[in-house]
Amino acid sequence: MRKKLYLLCGLNSERKLIVDLLAILFGIGSWLGINSVYVQLPLLVGNAPEGWNLPSYLVVIIQLGNIGPILYTAALRIKSFRDSYLIVALLVLGSCAAMTTAFVYDQTVHVFGAERSVPLFITVFGLSLVGCTSSVLFMPYMGRFKGIYLITYLIGEGFSGFVPSIVALIQGVGGNGECIVVNGTDPNEPPQYTSYTPPPRFGTRPYFIVSSVILAISMVAFVLLDRLAVCRREYAAVSIGNGNNYAYEPSTPNDEETRSAAGDAAATTKEKASLDRTNYLLMMVLISVMCLFGNGFFPSIQSYSCLPYGNVAYHLTVTLSSMANPAACFLAFFVQRNSIRSIVALSVVFVPFAAYALTTAMTSPDPPLMHNVLGDILVVACWTLLVGLVSYIRLAITTLLRCEGGQTLVWVGVASQLGSLVGSILSFTLVNFTDTFQQYYPC
């Protein structure tokens, strides 16, 4: 019966469901902390002294989390150590940082003559260390397992954006701000108004407590994945050293899976045509530009683009955009081939959505179709498709360049992080030191 079910679902009947489940739970912990912060922004900007500028601060702080991969790489050159210990430490750090965020997200510190959300910045930096370091630690760890389990880990990584969005949709945002009269009934006094926003179903504190619990579950799942004998039996034919240093052993005639994988690899190598220098550089520049906008620039101005349409529109934009990312990754699993022509075509499709998002942000506090249902629908749809396109294009380029071998994926990572860094600095400068983007005040 179990084999028939596997065949019906297109799964390998020899795989262990317990390993799949633990790999998914492990993958969820990779970016869940950072995604939780992004999804909670519609509520955080209302309490933070930075107001609508808060996303620009957080984007820069998240980019600082890349010090984690740098330190990890440097540490491996000095001394070898078990990567499993570091993974546990990172997941514990993430869980503690999320729990701390639940109690300090609204606390401020007087710095340089103004109130700043310093406690929130510190906890977000802790969460960013987990996410950024997972790219060079979590996925390579899964390389010791059979190849079929890497896909389930990637599904879990996709859920790290999907799960916070589901929790946020249940939480709600309360509604759009309303202007209410606050002065007395004296007809001789001019009316005074203040903005009032209905509360969500539950607040930011329970939200981050839930995130902390999920990260703790992810940590427990990893410990089981690393220690259970049934999981160790699912290792590939590999010699494991310290850190992520392990080498695959040569295939044997009795190793059906290894022979099949080797055959597929040989066929792929035979069919693969190496990119010429121009196309290679084009893909590198394109992925850097996608990360500049997708990771650095647009997250910082999203509040200016969406909040004039109301809290509900902003809330839906953030949550649906977070769902678009894993949806794009799932779609990529069903696309067998990516060509330069299709990637360039999708990049051209990206331009009008990016232009509309930028237009709505720059025309704040009076963007197009404001106070119109059509405007709300357009801005939510635009941002959702925008994030989905960026995610798919980045994954398509990475898949295409992966076949180039050598140090290509290292340069892909460098190009991605460089683009993200430039975008975050550019947006932070424009948002905080120019009048390019203006906040909307309902009263």
PDB file of all heavy atoms in Angstrom, residues 4 124 254 267 288 310 329 331 339 394:
ATOM      1  N   LYS A   4       2.431   1.858  -3.369  1.00  0.00           N
ATOM      2  CA  LYS A   4       1.454   2.377  -4.327  1.00  0.00           C
ATOM      3  C   LYS A   4       1.203   3.855  -4.091  1.00  0.00           C
ATOM      4  O   LYS A   4       1.052   4.630  -5.040  1.00  0.00           O
ATOM      5  CB  LYS A   4       0.143   1.588  -4.202  1.00  0.00           C
ATOM      6  CG  LYS A   4       0.244   0.145  -4.705  1.00  0.00           C
ATOM      7  CD  LYS A   4      -1.104  -0.553  -4.583  1.00  0.00           C
ATOM      8  CE  LYS A   4      -1.028  -1.982  -5.094  1.00  0.00           C
ATOM      9  NZ  LYS A   4      -2.332  -2.688  -4.969  1.00  0.00           N
ATOM     10  N   VAL A 124      16.763  41.785  15.556  1.00  0.00           N
ATOM     11  CA  VAL A 124      16.683  41.505  14.115  1.00  0.00           C
ATOM     12  C   VAL A 124      18.053  41.107  13.576  1.00  0.00           C
ATOM     13  O   VAL A 124      18.166  40.232  12.710  1.00  0.00           O
ATOM     14  CB  VAL A 124      16.124  42.725  13.352  1.00  0.00           C
ATOM     15  CG1 VAL A 124      16.285  42.552  11.851  1.00  0.00           C
ATOM     16  CG2 VAL A 124      14.658  42.928  13.683  1.00  0.00           C
ATOM     17  N   ASN A 254      26.551  -2.247  -7.049  1.00  0.00           N
ATOM     18  CA  ASN A 254      25.342  -2.565  -6.300  1.00  0.00           C
ATOM     19  C   ASN A 254      24.605  -1.322  -5.827  1.00  0.00           C
ATOM     20  O   ASN A 254      23.547  -1.427  -5.236  1.00  0.00           O
ATOM     21  CB  ASN A 254      25.695  -3.431  -5.089  1.00  0.00           C
ATOM     22  CG  ASN A 254      26.227  -4.784  -5.511  1.00  0.00           C
ATOM     23  OD1 ASN A 254      25.811  -5.330  -6.532  1.00  0.00           O
ATOM     24  ND2 ASN A 254      27.169  -5.319  -4.731  1.00  0.00           N
ATOM     25  N   ALA A 267      24.850  12.382 -18.421  1.00  0.00           N
ATOM     26  CA  ALA A 267      23.992  12.836 -19.514  1.00  0.00           C
ATOM     27  C   ALA A 267      23.880  14.340 -19.528  1.00  0.00           C
ATOM     28  O   ALA A 267      23.899  14.985 -20.579  1.00  0.00           O
ATOM     29  CB  ALA A 267      22.604  12.195 -19.389  1.00  0.00           C
ATOM     30  N   SER A 288      22.537  40.221  -9.986  1.00  0.00           N
ATOM     31  CA  SER A 288      22.908  41.301  -9.073  1.00  0.00           C
ATOM     32  C   SER A 288      21.848  42.397  -9.072  1.00  0.00           C
ATOM     33  O   SER A 288      21.467  42.925  -8.017  1.00  0.00           O
ATOM     34  CB  SER A 288      24.269  41.876  -9.483  1.00  0.00           C
ATOM     35  OG  SER A 288      24.680  42.872  -8.577  1.00  0.00           O
ATOM     36  N   GLY A 310      -3.930  52.187   2.724  1.00  0.00           N
ATOM     37  CA  GLY A 310      -4.512  51.670   3.951  1.00  0.00           C
ATOM     38  C   GLY A 310      -3.733  50.517   4.541  1.00  0.00           C
ATOM     39  O   GLY A 310      -2.929  49.857   3.853  1.00  0.00           O
ATOM     40  N   CYS A 329       9.463  29.256  -6.095  1.00  0.00           N
ATOM     41  CA  CYS A 329      10.433  28.160  -5.951  1.00  0.00           C
ATOM     42  C   CYS A 329       9.791  26.818  -6.291  1.00  0.00           C
ATOM     43  O   CYS A 329      10.406  25.973  -6.955  1.00  0.00           O
ATOM     44  CB  CYS A 329      10.988  28.130  -4.529  1.00  0.00           C
ATOM     45  SG  CYS A 329      11.967  29.594  -4.098  1.00  0.00           S
ATOM     46  N   LEU A 331       7.288  26.383  -8.341  1.00  0.00           N
ATOM     47  CA  LEU A 331       7.089  26.388  -9.786  1.00  0.00           C
ATOM     48  C   LEU A 331       8.366  25.996 -10.510  1.00  0.00           C
ATOM     49  O   LEU A 331       8.335  25.276 -11.519  1.00  0.00           O
ATOM     50  CB  LEU A 331       6.630  27.777 -10.247  1.00  0.00           C
ATOM     51  CG  LEU A 331       6.450  27.968 -11.756  1.00  0.00           C
ATOM     52  CD1 LEU A 331       5.360  27.039 -12.288  1.00  0.00           C
ATOM     53  CD2 LEU A 331       6.107  29.425 -12.070  1.00  0.00           C
ATOM     54  N   SER A 339      16.341  28.907 -20.196  1.00  0.00           N
ATOM     55  CA  SER A 339      17.196  29.448 -21.235  1.00  0.00           C
ATOM     56  C   SER A 339      17.465  30.920 -20.965  1.00  0.00           C
ATOM     57  O   SER A 339      16.724  31.589 -20.238  1.00  0.00           O
ATOM     58  CB  SER A 339      16.548  29.288 -22.612  1.00  0.00           C
ATOM     59  OG  SER A 339      15.366  30.071 -22.706  1.00  0.00           O
ATOM     60  N   ARG A 394      15.810  34.860 -10.096  1.00  0.00           N
ATOM     61  CA  ARG A 394      17.034  34.548  -9.348  1.00  0.00           C
ATOM     62  C   ARG A 394      17.290  33.047  -9.336  1.00  0.00           C
ATOM     63  O   ARG A 394      18.426  32.589  -9.536  1.00  0.00           O
ATOM     64  CB  ARG A 394      16.928  35.083  -7.930  1.00  0.00           C
ATOM     65  CG  ARG A 394      17.071  36.585  -7.808  1.00  0.00           C
ATOM     66  CD  ARG A 394      16.647  37.077  -6.441  1.00  0.00           C
ATOM     67  NE  ARG A 394      17.269  36.306  -5.380  1.00  0.00           N
ATOM     68  CZ  ARG A 394      16.844  36.316  -4.117  1.00  0.00           C
ATOM     69  NH1 ARG A 394      15.798  37.053  -3.774  1.00  0.00           N
ATOM     70  NH2 ARG A 394      17.474  35.626  -3.200  1.00  0.00           N
TER      71      ARG A 394
END
